[in-house]
Amino acid sequence: MSLDTIRRRIAETAREAGRDPADVTLVAVSKMQPESHVLPVLEAGQRVFGENRVQEAQNRWGALAPRFPGVEIHVIGPLQTNKARAAMEIASAIHSLDRPKLAETLARLAQERGACPDLFVQVNTGEEPQKAGVLPAEADGFVARCRDLDLPVVGLMCIPPAEEDPAPHFDMLREMAGRNGLAGLSMGMSGDFEAAIARGATHVRVGSAIFGARD
Ligand SMILES: *Cc1c(COP(=O)(O)O)cnc(C)c1O
């Protein structure tokens, strides 16, 4: 699929759901993609990109971002505390705030820098042992803790279990965000971004549908 097709489907789905397409941000997930796949997407005007790994984001975007004014990097993958500083320097948003230790580290660095990227708390809606994220039962408490630390939490993020219907997970995330007064919902990937938009996603993270399969 081309970037144009994805954009059109995002806009159509938003309108069908009675939403303003401008309220849905496409995060083009460029992780593990060769530059030859990323350049045409930049040239087509896409400016918000998602990267899983801080190191990879630095390598790619350190050189590329200055050539394309307005580029924004969102860190969407698990973040080690020793990479938190670098993540804050490169990213305008972090979608994977998933534990108290990371919250404390980000808070300390935010104080030091006087700035902090927008933060999404990742919720492990499927309660999968191998997956990052706070458990649903802990989400409200964790959001409150982050606010106590003055962290700019703007929303919640989830990655539903691969084998399940994602809709109940999207619904759960939306309810959680609502009761915590959070406007942002980072949910939906290549296979399910339309279902996510129908359920309120404000940020869809789409990789392979734009760039092709990763190696
Ligand atoms: C890789 C990744 C995506 C994009 O997945 P696609 O299926 O290629 O669209 C989205 N979110 C996260 C957290 C990812 O790691």
Side-chain angles (χ1 to χ4, degrees), residues 29 31 52 76-78 122 157 159 188-191 205-209 212 214:
V29 178
K31 67 176 182 200
N52 252 43
I76 61 171
Q122 183 174 351
M157 179 272 229
I159 308 172
M189 317 202 315
S190 289
R205 310 178 310 268
V206 181
S208 44
R214 290 175 289 273

Side-chain angles (χ1 to χ4, degrees), residues 10 24 38 85 96 99 109 112 166 169 176 181 204:
I10 288 173
V24 182
V38 177
R85 183 186 296 274
S96 44
R99 59 195 192 281
L109 293 168
E112 207 179 293
H169 297 272
M176 250 176 224
V204 290

Side-chain angles (χ1 to χ4, degrees), residues 8-206:
R8 198 179 61 244
R9 284 172 58 182
I10 288 173
E12 276 169 13
T13 310
R15 275 193 290 271
E16 277 164 23
R19 304 184 53 205
D20 182 349
D23 292 340
V24 182
T25 299
L26 171 60
V27 181
V29 178
S30 47
K31 67 176 182 200
M32 291 162 66
Q33 295 287 350
E35 190 161 309
S36 60
H37 291 192
V38 177
L39 272 176
V41 172
L42 276 161
E43 274 151 11
Q46 176 67 24
R47 285 296 176 269
V48 182
F49 291 86
E51 291 285 354
N52 252 43
R53 309 188 52 175
V54 174
Q55 180 85 56
E56 189 186 349
Q58 286 173 313
N59 291 347
R60 183 200 300 285
W61 294 102
L64 212 46
R67 290 169 50 195
F68 295 91
V71 160
E72 270 184 45
I73 306 306
H74 290 205
V75 167
I76 61 171
L79 181 57
Q80 294 168 266
T81 47
N82 64 1
K83 297 278 168 59
R85 183 186 296 274
M88 286 176 102
E89 279 162 8
I90 200 166
S92 61
I94 295 172
H95 292 231
S96 44
L97 171 51
D98 61 356
R99 59 195 192 281
K101 178 89 194 303
L102 180 60
E104 283 153 22
T105 303
L106 291 172
R108 183 169 46 75
L109 293 168
Q111 285 274 320
E112 207 179 293
R113 303 174 71 241
C116 187
D118 288 341
L119 301 174
F120 292 80
V121 167
Q122 183 174 351
V123 183
N124 185 356
T125 56
E127 306 192 28
E128 296 171 279
Q130 81 285 8
K131 209 167 260 178
V134 297
L135 293 172
E138 294 165 355
D140 297 358
F142 185 66
V143 169
R145 172 82 182 115
C146 291
R147 285 177 164 151
D148 284 345
L149 290 168
D150 278 334
L151 287 172
V153 176
V154 301
L156 302 179
M157 179 272 229
C158 75
I159 308 172
E163 309 303 319
E164 284 181 33
D165 176 4
H169 297 272
F170 296 154
D171 286 335
M172 184 196 294
L173 203 71
R174 189 185 61 236
E175 277 168 33
M176 250 176 224
R179 71 174 181 251
N180 284 285
L182 294 168
L185 281 172
S186 170
M187 56 190 202
M189 317 202 315
S190 289
D192 56 17
F193 67 91
E194 287 158 309
I197 291 167
R199 287 170 178 80
T202 60
H203 292 70
V204 290
R205 310 178 310 268
V206 181

